[in-house]
Amino acid sequence: MANIKDVAERAGVSVATVSRVLNGHSPVAETRERVLTAVRDLGYRPNNVARALRTARTGALGLIISDLTNPFFTELADAVEDEARSLGYSLVIGNAGERPEQQDDYIRTLLDRRIDGLLVSSAGTGSAMLSEVVASGTPLVLLDRTVPGVEAPCVRADGRTALTELAAHLAAHGRRRPAIIVAPAGTPTGDERLGFFRTALGGYGLTLPDERVGATPDLQPTGGRQVMSAFLDLAEPPDAVLATDNLMALGAMDELRARGLRVPDDVALVVYDDVPWFAHTDPPLTAIAQPTRELGRAAVHTLLARIEGRPANSVLLPARLVTRRSCGEVPAP
């Protein structure tokens, strides 16, 4: 079985450098990649039991995801696990299912397992249990969603620029009555996206009145369909709808089809959170893509910085607008 000296020899570095890379310290990307390649090639597995005895750490990180049935969060969890494993950490994952009480159960379970640190993409608006994690001294990093009153770094995407580009895109395609399907009222992420979109539209002479803002009771297709139905019953239905979650967008599409309406001929449809199959729907959906894998990697490194007592600030990575054909775009020749 390979040991750390074998990895150092294969990578052409010192044992100390290998140790630094496995603990997230390497400042040089090329060196880090050589070490991780050697780790994979040799099948090296750090002795986490010995490391725990030396450092009072277990080599395990916890991740609580708000809803693993959502493709965005599934990819996010996969990215976190890949990065954690590449750095010699195991990952224990809990699915909150968008239920704060289930989230709290997982937090208690993970703390009992003496994890070295915790990543949380919070269900709903969070819970008092997250403040207890901070008070306990367990390193905590929030992922994708901020939680009011919880003092911890948050790694998430910044949609301001992408939403501004979307407003310009809708205006350029003659859409004058935009609407938005948002998460349940009070959800920080949903409130932020609504605010950014409303401000961006104003810059192009477009308004977003309250009647064209629909908050879903949940983040599921049923909620998206319910809101779209209400929009279509308006005296002046919207001619463009932004769904701020991919599952809600599926429900919105179901309602449009049920009424015999077509995208984009009758209503333009845009989704916040791109997933691979949106490029293959009819028509392919214009979407705002979050840098999901980059978010996962950044979250792991931010958490390791907290575990090791290094400075750890919140991270904002830019989302981007991906234009396809659901707003009336002309397909490329």
Side-chain angles (χ1 to χ4, degrees):
M1 180 179 294
N3 58 39
I4 195 169
K5 291 182 180 178
D6 297 327
V7 174
E9 183 176 348
R10 172 69 70 92
V13 299
S14 68
V15 169
T17 296
V18 174
S19 179
R20 285 197 296 272
V21 170
L22 293 178
N23 286 285
H25 288 304
S26 176
V28 181
E30 181 183 353
T31 300
R32 174 177 175 273
E33 187 56 37
R34 289 210 315 272
V35 170
L36 295 180
T37 298
V39 167
R40 289 190 292 268
D41 290 347
L42 295 172
Y44 172 65
R45 297 179 63 185
N47 188 334
N48 287 338
V49 173
R51 182 167 66 183
L53 291 173
R54 292 194 306 271
T55 66
R57 297 180 191 166
T58 62
L61 307 178
L63 170 65
I64 297 176
I65 286 292
S66 54
D67 184 7
L68 275 174
T69 67
N70 186 313
F72 167 74
F73 291 115
T74 303
E75 184 179 3
L76 189 60
D78 184 64
V80 169
E81 183 176 33
D82 279 353
E83 192 67 10
R85 285 172 61 85
S86 76
L87 296 172
Y89 285 85
S90 61
L91 187 70
V92 184
I93 302 176
N95 175 27
E98 294 292 0
R99 294 190 291 273
E101 66 279 5
Q102 186 165 308
Q103 173 179 287
D104 288 352
D105 287 342
Y106 275 117
I107 289 175
R108 295 185 187 97
T109 298
L110 292 173
L111 293 181
D112 287 345
R113 294 189 62 165
R114 296 183 61 245
I115 55 170
D116 293 341
L118 182 62
L119 291 165
V120 177
S121 176
S122 184
T125 56
S127 70
M129 192 70 193
L130 288 171
S131 295
E132 292 182 28
V133 173
V134 175
S136 75
T138 300
L140 172 68
V141 171
L142 301 175
L143 184 53
D144 182 60
R145 298 175 178 178
T146 59
V147 178
V150 175
E151 296 297 325
C154 184
V155 177
R156 61 195 183 96
D158 181 2
R160 189 190 307 262
T161 298
L163 287 167
T164 300
E165 292 174 353
L166 174 59
H169 188 68
L170 293 176
H173 285 82
R175 307 292 172 165
R176 307 304 301 173
R177 299 187 307 280
I180 185 171
I181 303 174
V182 294
T187 306
T189 302
D191 291 348
E192 179 181 82
R193 291 173 186 174
L194 169 59
F196 286 166
F197 190 46
R198 180 171 263 151
T199 299
L201 290 170
Y204 295 91
L206 302 176
T207 61
L208 190 62
D210 290 344
E211 66 180 6
R212 295 204 300 267
V213 176
T216 63
D218 52 42
L219 296 173
Q220 299 299 314
T222 51
R225 183 165 186 173
Q226 177 180 320
V227 173
M228 179 61 86
S229 177
F231 285 160
L232 297 177
D233 288 339
L234 293 172
E236 286 191 302
D239 58 7
V241 176
L242 167 64
T244 58
D245 178 87
N246 54 69
L247 294 181
M248 295 190 301
L250 296 180
M253 292 173 66
D254 286 343
E255 183 63 21
L256 289 170
R257 280 195 296 266
R259 298 202 184 202
L261 300 175
R262 289 190 56 81
V263 175
D265 299 347
D266 300 301
V267 182
L269 182 63
V270 182
V271 188
Y272 200 115
D273 282 344
D274 198 16
V275 293
W277 61 79
F278 284 163
H280 305 288
T281 58
D282 182 21
L285 293 179
T286 291
I288 291 176
Q290 301 196 71
T292 313
R293 303 207 72 83
E294 292 84 351
L295 289 171
R297 288 193 287 268
V300 171
H301 285 276
T302 303
L303 183 59
L304 293 185
R306 297 215 72 192
I307 291 170
E308 295 159 5
R310 294 182 282 119
N313 298 319
S314 292
V315 177
L316 271 178
L317 298 176
R320 62 190 178 89
L321 178 65
V322 179
T323 57
R324 294 192 178 105
R325 290 171 51 199
S326 61
C327 296
E329 299 92 336
V330 177

